[in-house]
Every structure is written in C-alpha cells, then in structure tokens.
Amino acid sequence: MSGVVERRRPQTAQQFVLEEVRAAITSGELRPGAPIRQDALAARLEVSRVPLREALKALEAEGLVVHHIHRGYFVAELSLADLEEIYRIRALLETEAVRRAMDVGPEDLTATLEEIQREVERAARAGDVTAMAEANRRFHFTLIDACGMPRLVRMITTLWDSTDAYRSLYYTDPGHRAQAVHEHRAVLSALREGDKAAAVHWLDDHRAHAVAALRAVLTPKED
C-alpha cells in the first residue's frame, strides 16, 4: 500500500483495518490477484496481527480476499465468466428492486439521489476513483434499499461486494466516469417521470457498459 488515508479511527482496531484494506481493494491500490503482506500491512497500520487476521477473515466472507494454505491471503480474482454471471444475476434482482422502489420508496427518494449524484460528479471531475466508487455505491443502494425488501437487498449487496475489486478498474478511465455520470442522470430523469421501463433500461445499459469494459481487461491478449 502506498499510504494510509487519514480518517477518524472507528471504535475497534479490527473495524479500522477492515475499512483500510477494503478501501485499498476498491480503489485499485491492491489489485485482483495481489498478495496481502500481513507483516508489512500490520506495521503500516500500526496494529497487531490479531485484528488484521480478523479483518481478513471478514473480507474473505465478503468474497474480496481469498486464503491459500501455505501462501496466505490474496485479493480475490474473478474469471470473465464469473463476472458476466454476477452482472446477469444483478440485472434480474436489481430490476425487481428498482421497480418496487418506484412504487413504495419515500417521496424524497429522487431528491436524495440527486444530492448523491452531485458527489458522484464532483469525484468524477476530480478523477478521485475511490470517492466516485463510494458515491456510486451510495447512489445505487439508496435506490435499491427503497424497495423495502431486506432479503433482496442482502443478495444484491453480496453480488456487489464480490466485484468491488474490479470497479476501480472501470472508473480509472475518464471516459467511463463520464459515461457513468450520463447514465445516472438518465436514471434520475426516468425516476422524476415515474417511468419504470426507462429507469430499468438505463440501469441495464449502465451495467452492460461496465461489463464490456471489464471484458476487454479480462480477455487474454493474443500474441
């Protein structure tokens, strides 16, 4: 890790480590397949190995890291087939969540999303991949949570967690950031109009563009 972002430490050392390692993965600082050097990481974060091990176990349960016997922890890698399957399942589940949210969500849902979108766009202009990934997640889960179906939300959350390491690969490109901003604005327009079909269409496009870009990254290059 190139450095630790200064922030107020949470209540426990384990939670602090969990947030730092998760941020390093979602920002692309720790890339898919990279080994996690526990001694160096514990020294950098000024914690013992105990909270670090517990944090890594939690991240393993989330699917962000994997443990190999005699080799240690590594940032999780997905095959192209895995990634495409996850995004396909997301499309099915999120369509139900968004349709439901547009029926039963709070009256100020669109206004709340517009406020979060301003954060997305500030991060996009600044080229702050970590901040954009965080704001993007808040945007989508504010909409998804509004469906009022906690089991459905948990399933979607698990799918998102498993691809966090790849999201930064997408947002690193300025063109992809601009594309995401455009698609979010279109979703907001559909929500304001109460147009479920348009909202689902734009969210489908949003996911499809991410998959296409990541496909180019994950597809082996021919010699």
Side-chain angles (χ1 to χ4, degrees), residues 87-188:
Y87 271 80
R88 175 58 180 156
I89 298 170
R90 271 187 53 194
L92 297 171
L93 299 182
E94 290 177 23
T95 293
E96 177 64 23
V98 170
R99 287 183 175 276
R100 178 74 173 168
M102 292 180 71
D103 286 334
V104 304
E107 291 184 2
D108 64 347
L109 175 60
T110 302
T112 301
L113 289 168
E114 288 172 339
E115 183 177 345
I116 298 170
Q117 177 62 10
R118 287 192 281 273
E119 296 178 30
V120 172
E121 297 192 19
R122 279 195 294 270
R125 288 193 298 270
D128 188 335
V129 173
T130 301
M132 184 166 182
E134 291 174 351
N136 175 75
R137 184 170 180 127
R138 283 201 306 279
F139 180 94
H140 286 277
F141 274 94
T142 297
L143 177 55
I144 290 165
D145 284 341
C147 74
M149 301 171 72
R151 291 176 180 81
L152 178 58
V153 173
R154 284 198 295 271
M155 287 189 284
I156 295 171
T157 300
T158 298
L159 295 169
W160 271 71
D161 288 345
S162 67
T163 58
D164 264 347
Y166 289 82
R167 202 155 287 117
S168 64
L169 298 177
Y170 183 68
Y171 287 134
T172 297
D173 185 286
H176 295 159
R177 295 197 297 270
Q179 183 73 38
V181 165
H182 169 70
E183 288 157 354
H184 279 201
R185 289 178 179 176
V187 170
L188 285 169

Side-chain angles (χ1 to χ4, degrees), residues 2-220:
S2 61
V4 177
V5 176
E6 291 294 327
R7 57 166 71 93
R8 182 178 60 84
R9 285 200 175 197
Q11 187 173 3
T12 68
Q14 179 185 336
Q15 186 63 29
F16 166 70
V17 175
L18 186 65
E19 291 185 6
E20 291 295 333
V21 179
R22 184 187 287 117
I25 292 171
T26 57
S27 69
E29 187 177 347
L30 286 173
R31 298 176 70 85
I36 297 174
R37 313 291 186 188
Q38 292 188 52
D39 288 337
L41 185 54
R44 185 177 294 278
L45 297 178
E46 299 180 350
V47 297
S48 72
R49 290 283 296 272
V50 175
L52 177 57
R53 281 197 301 269
E54 293 304 311
L56 290 173
K57 288 178 183 177
L59 291 169
E60 184 179 20
E62 293 178 13
L64 284 181
V65 304
V66 294
H67 183 261
H68 298 301
I69 297 175
H70 305 310
R71 296 179 60 206
Y73 283 94
F74 293 77
V75 180
E77 289 184 283
L78 292 174
S79 68
L80 178 58
D82 290 334
L83 194 75
E84 290 178 334
E85 180 183 6
I86 289 167
Y87 271 80
R88 175 58 180 156
I89 298 170
R90 271 187 53 194
L92 297 171
L93 299 182
E94 290 177 23
T95 293
E96 177 64 23
V98 170
R99 287 183 175 276
R100 178 74 173 168
M102 292 180 71
D103 286 334
V104 304
E107 291 184 2
D108 64 347
L109 175 60
T110 302
T112 301
L113 289 168
E114 288 172 339
E115 183 177 345
I116 298 170
Q117 177 62 10
R118 287 192 281 273
E119 296 178 30
V120 172
E121 297 192 19
R122 279 195 294 270
R125 288 193 298 270
D128 188 335
V129 173
T130 301
M132 184 166 182
E134 291 174 351
N136 175 75
R137 184 170 180 127
R138 283 201 306 279
F139 180 94
H140 286 277
F141 274 94
T142 297
L143 177 55
I144 290 165
D145 284 341
C147 74
M149 301 171 72
R151 291 176 180 81
L152 178 58
V153 173
R154 284 198 295 271
M155 287 189 284
I156 295 171
T157 300
T158 298
L159 295 169
W160 271 71
D161 288 345
S162 67
T163 58
D164 264 347
Y166 289 82
R167 202 155 287 117
S168 64
L169 298 177
Y170 183 68
Y171 287 134
T172 297
D173 185 286
H176 295 159
R177 295 197 297 270
Q179 183 73 38
V181 165
H182 169 70
E183 288 157 354
H184 279 201
R185 289 178 179 176
V187 170
L188 285 169
S189 178
L191 292 174
R192 283 191 292 268
E193 296 295 324
D195 190 336
K196 292 180 185 176
V200 169
H201 164 77
W202 282 107
L203 287 167
D204 283 346
D205 273 5
H206 192 44
R207 284 184 296 268
H209 288 142
V211 171
L214 292 172
R215 185 181 295 119
V217 172
L218 295 174
T219 300

